[in-house]
Amino acid sequence: DLDGQQVTLSEFAGKPVVINFWATWCPPCRLEMPEFQRAYEEYEEENLVILAINEAEQPEVVRSFFYDEMGYTYTPLLDQEGEVAEAYGAVGLPSTFFIDGSGAVTAVHRGALTQDQLQNYLGDIIP
């Protein structure tokens, strides 16, 4: 995370999870991020977890953009060496993975998501 703590997907077992690979310099990433914030707020009671994994930027840059500039409240994480993106096969930004409570990946979306697309994918992972 932004404080140097290791985060693992297993910490969120039983919860619907969205993993989004992004960067501050990526215009399509920036376009879809408000949709993730709206979804996070809408499905907070259903324990939706959104993990925004930043690609290779410094924690200060991510913190400033994510919290100070944009005011997002879901979880930003760091992938400074690109190892997580490589493990997921996340080529190109943005790339988004939808994981249901049993840990199954229900969808992978490459490129920016629209609000309708996001809602459709969430319908498959939120009980």
Side-chain angles (χ1 to χ4, degrees):
D1 66 12
L2 297 182
D3 297 320
Q5 300 300 310
Q6 191 75 19
V7 176
T8 62
L9 188 57
S10 62
E11 293 174 36
F12 308 104
K15 298 179 179 181
V17 177
V18 175
I19 298 175
N20 176 250
F21 292 90
W22 70 286
T24 61
W25 50 261
C26 166
C29 300
R30 293 172 74 116
L31 281 174
E32 70 180 3
M33 292 180 90
E35 300 302 334
F36 288 121
Q37 180 64 38
R38 279 191 274 284
Y40 179 70
E41 292 170 5
E42 182 177 348
Y43 296 108
E44 195 168 6
E45 289 184 12
E46 287 82 2
N47 294 314
L48 176 64
V49 174
I50 300 179
L51 304 175
I53 302 179
N54 179 271
E55 288 298 303
E57 294 183 279
Q58 293 302 310
E60 304 79 37
V61 171
V62 175
R63 184 184 319 278
S64 176
F65 170 79
F66 202 86
Y67 292 126
D68 301 336
E69 184 179 336
M70 303 308 296
Y72 296 138
T73 57
Y74 57 101
T75 307
L77 299 173
L78 303 172
D79 185 20
Q80 294 185 302
E81 303 300 321
E83 295 169 354
V84 178
E86 184 176 323
Y88 274 83
V91 290
L93 298 177
S95 289
T96 307
F97 295 75
F98 295 85
I99 303 168
D100 68 16
S102 72
V105 175
T106 61
V108 176
H109 186 95
R110 301 193 193 286
L113 283 159
T114 66
Q115 182 180 16
D116 288 343
Q117 289 170 320
L118 180 57
Q119 289 298 325
N120 286 338
Y121 290 130
L122 290 175
D124 293 334
I125 65 170
I126 295 177

